[in-house]
Amino acid sequence: MASSEATANQSAPGKRFKVPRIPGDIMIYPMIAGLLINTFCPQVLEIGGFFTNATRGGANAVVAAILLFVGAGISFKSTPGAVKTGVVVLIPKLVLAAALGLGVAYLFNDNFLGLSSVSIIGGISFCNMALYTGIMSEYGNESEQGAVGILFFTAGPTVTMIILGVSGLANIPLGTVVGSVLPLVIGMVLGNLFPFIRNLLVPGTNPAIAVLGFQLGCSMSLVSFVTGGISGILLGLITVFVAGPVTFAFERLMGGTGKPAVACSTIAGTAMTTPAALAEVAPKYAAIAPVAYAQIATAVIITAVLAPILTGWVDKRFCQGEAESK
C-alpha cells in the first residue's frame, strides 16, 4: 500500500499543466502576450521607464542582435554538396517570392485578397531554419542537413528590401541594404575565427527572438490579427502548395531528392520582423505593416504544420525506391 502511494506521489508532478510546444513558439507566445496586453489594457505599455522603451521602440536593434547571433552559428566549412543543395533550393524560392510579390504590386495595386507585396515577399522568401533542421535530421542526408547554412542567408529583412528596392517600389538607399546584412556577416566572421565568441553569441538567438516577439505583439491588436487571419492562411497555403511544388520540381530537375525543397516551404517566425524594418526605411509601408505582421504570424503556423507531413510523404512516395536501388 505504501509503495503504491509513493508511486502515485512521484507521478503527480508529471500531471501538472505544461504549455504546449508549437512551431515558432519562441516568438509566437511572447507575441500573443504583447498582443493581449495592447488589445485589452494598452495603458500598461505607457507606464514609462525601461518597460515602455522595451515595448514601444528598439525593434531594429533587436533584429540586428538576432542577425549577429545567427551569423555566429554559420560555418565557413560547408561541404560542396550542402552548398549545392542550399543554392538549388534557395534560387526558385526567392525568384518565386519576388515574382508573386511584384505581380501583386503591379497587377493588383498591391492587394491580392488582402495580401500585399510586403507580406508575400517577406513571408515566402523566409525559411524556418529550426524546423528545416528538425525535418532533415529525420529525412535528409548529410548534404541536405548542411544546406541550412545557405538558407540562413534569407534571415532578416534584407532580401525583401533588395527586391522592393531594385524593382523601384521602394526607395531604399544602398547603405541601408548593406547595413541590414552587415550584422550577419560580422557574426559569421567572429563565429568562425573565434569559437569562444560563437559559443557566447549563438545561445542569445532564442532570447532575442522572444523579446522581439513581445515587441511586435505590443504593436498589434486583435483587430489586426483577425484582419490578417484568412489572408494569412492563404499566404501559408501559397507558400506550401505553390512555392513548394515549384521548388521541388527545380530541385528534382537538378538531381536532388526534393525533400529539402518541401522542408523549406515554411515561413519563419522571424519573418514578422520584415514589415517593421521595412516601414522604418520606407514609411509608405507603415500603414500595412500591422496587417502584414498578422498575416505572416498565421502563415508561420500553417506552414509549420504542413511541411513536415508533406516531406514525409515525399520521402515515402519518391525516395524509398531510390534508396533501395543504391
Side-chain angles (χ1 to χ4, degrees), residues 123-289:
I124 296 177
S125 62
F126 271 72
C127 169
N128 189 329
M129 266 76 75
L131 186 59
Y132 176 89
T133 301
I135 297 173
M136 285 294 98
S137 66
E138 180 176 355
Y139 296 110
N141 57 37
E142 184 176 350
S143 293
E144 292 170 336
Q145 293 170 9
V148 70
I150 302 299
L151 298 177
F152 263 119
F153 282 99
T154 65
T158 309
V159 171
T160 305
M161 289 183 177
I162 292 175
I163 294 173
L164 293 177
V166 171
S167 68
L169 288 174
N171 184 20
I172 301 173
L174 178 61
T176 299
V177 175
V178 174
S180 65
V181 76
L182 195 56
L184 187 71
V185 175
I186 292 175
M188 289 178 60
V189 173
L190 292 176
N192 282 272
L193 293 181
F194 307 102
F196 79 93
I197 293 183
R198 180 180 64 245
N199 296 334
L200 178 68
L201 294 179
V202 171
T205 304
N206 286 342
I209 289 174
V211 171
L212 183 62
F214 184 67
Q215 285 187 337
L216 292 178
C218 290
S219 65
M220 299 166 55
S221 69
L222 283 176
V223 174
S224 64
F225 191 81
V226 170
T227 302
I230 295 178
S231 54
I233 293 174
L234 176 62
L235 177 60
L237 295 178
I238 290 174
T239 303
V240 174
F241 294 111
V242 177
V246 171
T247 308
F248 169 82
F250 186 78
E251 191 199 348
R252 293 285 293 187
L253 189 64
M254 298 298 293
T257 65
K259 290 181 289 186
V262 181
C264 80
S265 297
T266 58
I267 298 177
T270 48
M272 289 181 284
T273 64
T274 297
L278 190 59
E280 287 286 333
V281 298
K284 62 179 281 187
Y285 292 111
I288 64 174

